[in-house]
């Protein structure tokens, strides 16, 4: 039997060989570098309640370390500013009051400079914690969580700043010299898998969020999966076929959302006369037909799939394929047939892929104790799982078992679609 | 009555032995009897966009037969009133325009009398169709669908009229002599099930909705299930423990909904000084501690379960238990242990039971062709499955494979909760 | 110089020569006759928060007499139903709780029959009050207020039922045999008035609302006034000239309202291909070019006037002209010139005429003591005064000093426009 | 200082003796100095749709000169950035598209630096225009309008930044060293005026907005006016008497607004335990009992007046008093009695004073031709006039005939109240 996904190399992150402090410094430096091209004003504005100002992301990721790592572990630690406890709390009821999310764009003060100084203040205290974590696995694990958390916000800094810039008629570029998305002009192929009992969820070594656990079994019926995500050119055919106006292609809520919000193409597509352009981190550019379509909602992904005679994969189908289990027992789903080609790998995916799976707890799921337990579990409702990772996902952040999730009408993420079909 | 979990006999409705016409007449007569206690005004009002006037239900169920059965099958049929094609279309885009749902309460005309005359007009034409269906299984199946559809609306007539009356400070009784819900004072017991591969979905004989198919396999991890739904007395303990104000017990969206809408108890509970009362079809009565709690949302069911150290069952756990498979092969989940007691039966259940399962298509699901295909599939988003049936569900309507579904904040149905737990 | 304002004959209704009881019976009977063509369902529905069900009007006008006349004056009076004290209270905080206005359409009970029985119950008690009022001017005055109040609601019954019927795609006729509005094909003429000091407000004998008092002086600069209201044909020219899309013609708030609500013609005009129709109490009829335009908001009236190179008159200009008193002293504004024609009279006006005057208290205004003081004064904000009366205003209800008032976006009244211009 | 009511000298600004260019430079420099204490972030944020970012004010006032003065008068002028034509257009339909007002806070670019450079660019071109205006009165008048316009926005910069800072839990001070409002502990006195015919509106020399014209006559009935505005201490008595919860004191719309928005004190008052504090441009300070109450809506001013047994003055009463006409002819309102005291002056008033007058055109009012005509007239609906001027009104900007106006629920301006009463 041959393998399921086609990855040449294991993708799940092995336990980091390098010292924790070095990883800490790298991750923290990356956040600074992400806001470097931005002005203080760029960092202060909030373009919608779902998005946050970059400055808030910078402060909140620091708050996370201060609140959950430094404060309980560094005796005599003096808070940089006690008011920040409320100001940069995102949604942790157990930590106390929170500044309201839609009001994050009201905070011209503290200035970006002050927030960066806050960052340095906490980094200093974190040095000691990283040292101590060598002998304290629970502490090390908490710091790993903080770093994974910061990596999530790194991606959000870019999604949120792109959204902000998209509301500015000047269409500013975040980085005009930025390299465009990877170009994959390969023909779409369908790969077929047999039914079987898959093992889903995180293995237990290396970092994972609580929502990826516990590892458990899921029965999967036979299916086929596309060899790559849907491209802009393919999605354009749907647009030009009147896809946004044909109710029969849509979920009922989806058609309502599309009508109410006037959707007629992916979020950042702009028609200028006869040609299509797209607003990107490089600014306004011609639509590249060969890259994966991005910035579509679950609703649009689902409608496109129906139009194409297909459906979205479940997150279990996706993970079973991605985890390539050619040596497992007879209950595992099996790829039947083979194609001499390399589909997109996970960790360097260009786009998050919507699945048909509602975001729900795995059997036996228990959130962490205390405030950290609010990280994932309480959001398991009316959201859909995305798998893979995108061109702006930090390196090392993605995992085969990783479960990203957003409401079905969310469009401002790097979200696209890979098609699946039932096979009997 | 046989038991829910352990029924010796198949419960899925066998092909009805009695002639279709007789069943048609019975179902249609039941609708008339349901609106008999209501005045024309009671039948015309709409208390919220999710609810419909009773008159609209009476017209729409007739429209369904006229549009999908009579019009295509009775040559020369003359519509009672061509305007009704739009007026009583619920959500079928393929049939054409629809009168907007929130405006159903704007229709003082046609009067109830006229709508009942419309009913008679279509019934006359349906007689011929029922006869012809003896030799036309597809037609028979369509008529069965129409009857199941009407039974759904029979339940909605009662849920909607109760909601309407609840907004009237006079608290009118739908039927002051109505027998209260069944009283079940048994102590709650937990029954344990082993892991296994369950077969889920409708078998193929007897009527079922398309969303119950196709029958397929689902792996279920070990779990325990409560012997009966949560009672009013049990839920009251949650209320009095401050359950509605403790964010840590709730899904994030749930706590938002509870706060925004000021929830502090189930929908129809009213505190009068020291005692609790409940508004019911009998009018305002003392809260009966022994009957199952009803009129709670998915959010409240979920919060209650968390407070009780439990969780909601999945719809697969529920169906696996309900379909009683203690003699099946080794992959089937197994009841370990036994209690000499009779849990609520399905077909005479007192309450719909929220499950943790998002309403989604089964693997291989295909909606019916044509307009009828809009019946179920397009609603498979942001809704949660309820299983069982309630005291107002029409007899013969419930099935073990039946999937009821509502958004997680819906409270005006006869919805309650049965607890589950992981077992390792 | 002859004076403008003051009429040869008193126009304010003189003390009614006929017995109060007879007037009481006539007014009350008229309300019954207005709802006679309506079904119980027609009477129960509420088409928008600003409109009320006919049944509510019937109950509330009775409540007014019960609360303000019978209860304080008839010893031993037993309320028909104590719950009605809340149910039929419109907005009198001083009387206690009120059923919320937008929920008036939730009351299928009490039924219309019961509300009519309530009416009879209170009428019985009122007989005694009317007798006693012969010797009690304060009581007589209170009863007169109740009757004027009921006449206001008589007009609202028709405006509200027309609005309800307009939301029904069947377009029911309130009275298919109803005589259409008066036809006035006269050419529009402009009449000029000199500056002067006008005396405005009610004289002091005969009934008037408190908002018409006290009588006081207002200086009026020279102006001209149109001889009749704007006709449908004239307004149609504005529509066809793109009037609804030309921002420069509108008040800023008006253009916002027109855009947000999609106005493109008066409320009940419907374009069917090449012809215009209008929904009226007679049902859907061809637009009559010669009758006054009705069902336009203050915003539309104002925009039309600007388009026509004119403006709205102030309420003082209107009253000064209407009270036409060409023999008074030197400070009175003077009509210069004369036309041998009869402008529309007030008491038989076809349409309420928007003025440019914000609804405000007259100098020295004091609301009545007690709950009755809530009748008018507290609404003196963000409303505009209409003068005259309409084809559905009860006979004897209109007065030259009468101040009707509605918010500037209200369209469901019989509201039209008469043009004015500055004259120097 | 001379007195408000009794000024011996004309107060309407005489034609400025100094060269226009000098005034231009002074006004423009003042705008720069107002934003000097602010960071780029402070200048970019928008705290509500009614307020604008300081950066937008800086850009828009420049746009005004560029659009209405430079572009039509400087041949060969090259726009600084053509995109600014839309970006900084406030509400002039005639100039073309406008960036939506609620989205002014979405513009992180252009940065403050760029907007200041735009300012310099236009100032350069304006030099030539100011020179040329010596011989071109129409041009001079247009420039004067632009300067008055800029002074209005100078006041808005401060009101808007205070509102923004008030939404920041850190309560930043705009200028911690700023001198507090003038302290006036004088006892409140009532001054009586006789009836008479007042002349209202701008005289014709010196600058005025079009809404202050034409000068015309208004009859005023006898009244009394308070000698100074209501103080914080006086308003506090209303608060502590339950004034915000007593429906009988409020206009109906006002009580609705107060309830819906949870008003319980003036906008920036904060109760900390037993003491009251106020958020000001100096930061959070103890409430000063002796200064005029500010940041109250028309609704609060009106409710306070009713509680105090008084009413708001009309704008005509206010102007008649302020223009001091005790030596005029017999028709002028006359101050009866005299007090040897100095009421607040107009041009250095501490607070704008709400009047009871709805903002409406004066008889004979005609807006200016072209886009400039949109300046005032189109806002004459559902707004109320304020008279006087506040501690943040630019010097020389206030006039006795000046008509400020805001909707009745606006609270973020320096708005207070002076009481009046009818006198017979």
């Amino acid at each position: 039997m041959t393998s399921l996904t086609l990855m040449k190399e294991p993708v799940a992150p092995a336990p980091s060989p390098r010292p924790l402090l070095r990883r800490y410094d790298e991750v923290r430096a990356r956040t600074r570098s992400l806001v470097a091209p931005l002005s203080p004003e760029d960092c202060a504005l909030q373009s919608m309640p779902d998005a946050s100002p970059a400055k808030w992301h910078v402060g909140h990721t620091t708050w996370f370390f201060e609140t959950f790592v430094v404060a309980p572990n560094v005796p005599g630690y003096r808070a940089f500013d006690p008011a920040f406890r409320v100001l940069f709390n995102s949604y942790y009821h157990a930590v106390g009051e929170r500044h309201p999310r839609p009001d994050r764009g009201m905070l011209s003060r503290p200035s970006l400079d002050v927030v960066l100084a806050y960052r340095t203040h906490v980094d200093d205290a974190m040095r000691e914690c990283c040292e101590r974590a060598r002998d304290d696995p629970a502490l090390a694990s908490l710091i790993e969580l903080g770093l994974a958390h910061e990596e999530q916000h790194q991606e959000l800094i870019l999604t949120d700043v792109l959204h902000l810039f998209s509301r500015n008629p000047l269409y500013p570029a975040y980085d005009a010299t930025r390299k465009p998305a990877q170009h994959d002009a390969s023909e779409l192929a369908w790969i077929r898998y047999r039914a079987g009992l898959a093992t889903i969820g995180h293995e237990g070594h290396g970092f994972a969020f609580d929502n990826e656990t516990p590892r458990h079994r899921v029965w999967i019926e036979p299916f086929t999966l596309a060899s790559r995500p849907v491209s802009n050119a393919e999605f354009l055919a749907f647009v030009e076929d009147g896809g946004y106006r044909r109710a029969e292609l849509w979920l009922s809520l989806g058609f309502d959302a599309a009508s109410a919000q006037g959707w007629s193409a992916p979020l950042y597509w702009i028609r200028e006369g006869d040609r299509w352009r797209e607003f990107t981190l490089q600014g306004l550019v011609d639509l590249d037909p060969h890259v994966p379509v991005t910035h579509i909602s679950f609703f649009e992904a689902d409608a496109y799939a129906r139009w194409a005679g297909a459906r979205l994969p479940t997150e279990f189908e996706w993970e079973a394929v991605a985890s390539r289990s050619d040596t497992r027992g007879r209950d595992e789903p099996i790829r039947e047939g083979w194609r001499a080609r390399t589909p997109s790998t996970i960790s360097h995916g260009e786009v998050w892929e919507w699945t048909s799976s509602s975001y729900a707890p795995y059997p036996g799921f228990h959130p962490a104790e205390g405030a950290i337990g609010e990280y994932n579990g309480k959001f398991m409702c009316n959201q859909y799982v995305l798998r893979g990772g995108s061109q702006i996902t930090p390196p090392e952040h993605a995992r085969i078992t990783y479960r990203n999730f957003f409401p079905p009408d969310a469009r401002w993420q790097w979200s696209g679609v890979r098609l699946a079909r039932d096979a009997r």
Side-chain angles (χ1 to χ4, degrees), chain A:
Chain A
M1 282 180 242
T2 47
S3 80
L4 245 213
T5 44
L6 313 159
M7 282 162 284
K8 301 297 187 223
E9 303 299 328
V11 177
S16 174
R18 66 180 186 281
L20 185 58
L21 179 56
R22 192 168 139 204
R23 172 155 154 76
Y24 180 85
D25 286 340
E26 285 170 5
V27 170
R28 298 284 284 173
R30 191 170 183 275
T31 299
R32 278 181 189 264
S33 74
L34 283 171
V35 297
L38 300 174
S39 72
E41 291 132 303
D42 294 336
C43 289
L45 269 48
Q46 179 175 31
S47 59
M48 63 168 170
D50 287 342
S52 296
K55 184 170 69 177
W56 188 90
H57 288 297
V58 171
H60 168 66
T61 48
T62 300
W63 171 94
F64 192 96
F65 283 112
E66 181 184 54
T67 303
F68 296 122
V69 180
V70 174
N73 287 292
V74 178
Y77 171 75
R78 274 194 61 210
F80 180 82
D81 185 332
F84 289 7
R85 184 176 175 88
V86 167
L87 224 49
F88 291 121
N89 182 357
S90 52
Y91 53 67
Y92 295 86
H93 286 264
V95 175
E97 292 296 306
R98 297 150 307 284
H99 186 66
R101 177 174 192 140
D103 291 357
R104 290 175 186 167
M106 294 297 105
L107 304 177
S108 60
R109 320 280 179 95
S111 70
L112 181 58
D113 283 347
V114 171
V115 174
L116 291 172
Y118 171 44
R119 200 165 174 87
T120 301
H121 178 86
V122 171
D123 283 346
D124 290 345
M126 278 297 296
R127 287 223 155 79
E128 182 184 335
C129 297
C130 287
E131 288 306 313
R132 199 184 307 168
R134 288 173 189 244
D135 307 317
D136 182 343
L139 182 57
S141 166
L142 203 53
I143 295 172
E144 278 291 354
L145 176 63
L147 293 171
H149 171 259
E150 181 140 349
E151 287 173 332
Q152 291 184 314
H153 282 276
Q154 287 173 352
E155 181 154 353
L156 292 174
I157 285 172
L158 292 178
T159 60
D160 293 359
V161 87
L162 183 64
H163 189 266
L164 172 65
F165 283 180
S166 77
R167 300 200 54 189
N168 189 327
L170 305 180
Y171 288 124
Y174 168 77
D175 175 4
T177 66
R178 190 182 176 86
K179 174 169 89 71
Q182 284 187 18
H183 196 104
D184 176 359
S186 69
E187 202 180 336
L188 190 142
W190 291 92
I191 305 174
R192 178 184 172 96
Y193 300 91
R194 286 214 290 263
L197 194 60
T199 312
I200 296 294
H202 186 64
E203 286 275 13
H205 52 273
F207 173 80
F209 288 112
D210 58 0
N211 63 7
E212 302 168 50
T213 65
R215 194 154 165 89
H216 65 289
R217 291 159 291 181
V218 172
W219 180 264
I220 297 177
E221 299 284 359
F223 68 103
T224 65
L225 190 69
S227 58
R228 58 161 176 75
V230 171
S231 69
N232 275 339
E234 287 159 352
F235 201 88
L236 181 56
F238 167 76
V239 172
E240 294 184 338
D241 194 36
Y244 277 83
R245 296 185 305 274
R246 292 168 53 186
E248 74 273 16
L249 299 173
W250 293 72
L251 286 163
S252 181
L253 284 181
F255 199 68
D256 293 349
S259 304
Q261 300 174 39
W263 299 349
S264 61
L267 177 57
Y268 296 130
W269 289 21
I270 293 165
R271 195 201 294 264
E272 291 185 350
D274 278 350
R275 68 177 177 160
W276 284 94
R277 312 203 74 200
E278 185 170 23
F279 182 61
T280 70
L281 292 171
Q282 301 119 264
L284 199 55
V285 300
D286 285 339
L287 184 71
D288 182 341
H290 301 300
V291 301
V293 65
T294 58
H295 299 102
I296 58 171
S297 63
F298 172 86
F299 290 134
E300 289 159 289
D302 170 84
Y304 175 85
R306 197 165 290 114
W307 174 80
R311 61 166 173 80
L312 305 185
T314 68
E315 64 168 321
F316 310 113
E317 291 167 344
W318 195 98
E319 183 172 330
V321 167
S323 61
R324 171 202 56 102
S325 50
D326 45 352
T327 58
R328 303 292 165 79
R330 52 174 271 278
D331 287 338
E332 296 287 329
I334 301 300
R335 187 177 58 83
E336 298 170 338
W338 176 272
R339 297 189 108 82
R341 57 202 314 288
T342 306
S344 303
T345 59
I346 299 305
S347 57
H348 303 88
E350 284 297 313
V351 66
W352 287 102
E353 301 177 12
W354 284 109
T355 74
S356 66
S357 297
S358 175
Y359 181 44
Y362 285 168
F365 169 71
H366 286 293
E369 290 294 310
I372 287 291
E374 297 186 51
Y375 201 104
N376 275 307
K378 74 180 184 184
F379 300 110
M380 291 177 171
C381 183
N382 284 10
Q383 312 222 42
Y384 285 81
V385 174
L386 301 102
R387 292 300 195 107
S390 82
Q391 52 166 297
I392 63 161
T393 306
E396 302 184 2
H397 185 68
R399 266 181 310 282
I400 283 171
T401 59
Y402 195 102
R403 307 173 79 198
N404 199 353
F405 53 91
F406 280 93
D409 62 348
R411 310 176 85 204
W412 90 111
Q413 297 296 306
W414 259 256
S415 47
V417 55
R418 181 190 298 265
L419 298 179
R421 285 184 181 144
D422 297 312
R424 286 275 138 153

